[in-house]
Amino acid sequence: MDTDVDTGVDTGPGPAGVLGSRVEERLRTAVLGAEFGLRERLTESGLARRLGVSRTPVRAALAGLVADGLLTRADGAYYVAVPDLAELRDLYELRVTLELRGIARALESPTVRHDPAVLAEQRLWWRSMRAEPPEPGPGFALLDERFHVELSRAAGNAALTAALVAVNAKIRRIRMYDFLTADRVTTTVVEHLGILELLQAGELDAAYRALHVHVGESLAVVWERATRALTRMTLHGGLS
């Protein structure tokens, strides 16, 4: 489907920056929710008409989604980027290896200890998340990513952390499928706190197992939702 009619005016309230953020969030949710077909041709003017805004916030939103790897641009239009599920499994396997290695180092050598200041800071942060859980949505992936990077940093091997950051950047767009429901956000917060508490108590074996399960659950959720979205995209599309 391709629509090239532009209303030319913004009908949404608020400053341009707020409107632009709302438009980007709406389109991001539409992409992750498989509201567009795989071969659906998306244009600035067509989306502007369907959302009731001008092309300016739509243009900025599309640029953001391209940067995140959720859309591709070709022939003057935009298309949903197809998730590569085989690559996803490979990258998750690498992610698990990198993250668990941080704890394994401490298990193998009594001279290696997680930085207590980093653990304490993260525990305080995630306690605040438990007290006031954030809204579910793609943006929570960045908060989750921060936790795992800080956990790696606390283990004291900068090279491992740098490698994890690189892997996270490659799987970020697909991991946005992980946090689309409130229960998934709540579970993640609780599991983060559990891992931190085990590390602070020096229960490294238990922390290792908990982290392994935690990342494995993330893969299962992402895989199921991404597969389901891919199936829906092949069957229909259409932003309402």
Side-chain angles (χ1 to χ4, degrees), residues 12-231:
V18 174
L19 177 62
S21 296
R22 289 175 179 170
V23 169
E24 182 167 347
E25 186 62 25
R26 178 67 184 93
L27 291 178
R28 189 184 304 276
T29 300
V31 171
L32 294 176
E35 295 182 37
F36 299 123
L38 279 179
R39 292 170 294 281
E40 185 171 357
R41 189 172 188 271
L42 308 172
T43 62
E44 291 177 8
S45 55
L47 291 171
R49 182 190 67 81
R50 291 155 79 174
L51 293 173
V53 299
S54 74
R55 292 173 62 172
T56 300
V58 171
R59 183 179 302 117
L62 290 172
L65 296 186
V66 169
D68 285 344
L70 294 175
L71 296 178
T72 60
R73 187 172 186 180
D75 303 323
Y78 298 84
Y79 300 86
V80 175
V82 180
D84 187 333
L85 298 184
E87 180 186 24
L88 170 65
R89 277 202 180 276
D90 290 345
L91 289 171
Y92 254 88
E93 183 177 351
L94 177 56
R95 179 192 174 201
V96 170
T97 300
L98 293 170
E99 295 213 32
L100 292 180
R101 184 58 198 158
I103 299 179
R105 294 178 68 247
L107 282 168
E108 294 167 4
S109 173
T111 64
V112 177
R113 293 183 65 246
H114 284 73
D115 187 329
V118 174
L119 296 181
E121 179 185 26
Q122 284 299 301
R123 190 175 181 185
L124 183 62
W125 171 266
W126 288 97
R127 276 179 170 174
S128 72
M129 290 290 101
R130 183 175 60 187
E132 297 183 27
E135 290 294 320
F140 188 80
L142 295 176
L143 298 179
D144 178 75
E145 189 176 305
R146 173 185 172 186
F147 166 79
H148 288 279
V149 169
E150 288 300 296
L151 198 64
S152 176
R153 186 169 71 86
N157 186 319
L160 280 177
T161 303
L164 179 60
V165 169
V167 171
N168 282 338
K170 292 180 180 179
I171 64 174
R172 185 176 297 137
R173 74 180 182 89
I174 200 75
R175 290 202 63 239
M176 292 179 183
Y177 285 100
D178 199 351
F179 305 109
L180 303 182
T181 60
D183 65 310
R184 183 59 189 151
V185 170
T186 298
T187 297
T188 299
V189 172
V190 170
E191 290 180 355
H192 284 182
L193 283 169
I195 293 166
L196 290 167
E197 289 164 3
L198 289 171
L199 288 173
Q200 286 183 311
E203 299 180 28
L204 299 180
D205 284 311
Y208 185 97
R209 292 192 298 270
L211 181 59
H212 201 175
V213 170
H214 174 69
V215 179
E217 288 176 347
S218 176
L219 172 59
V221 170
V222 170
W223 182 272
E224 189 276 331
R225 288 180 179 165
T227 302
R228 185 172 59 196
L230 190 59
T231 300

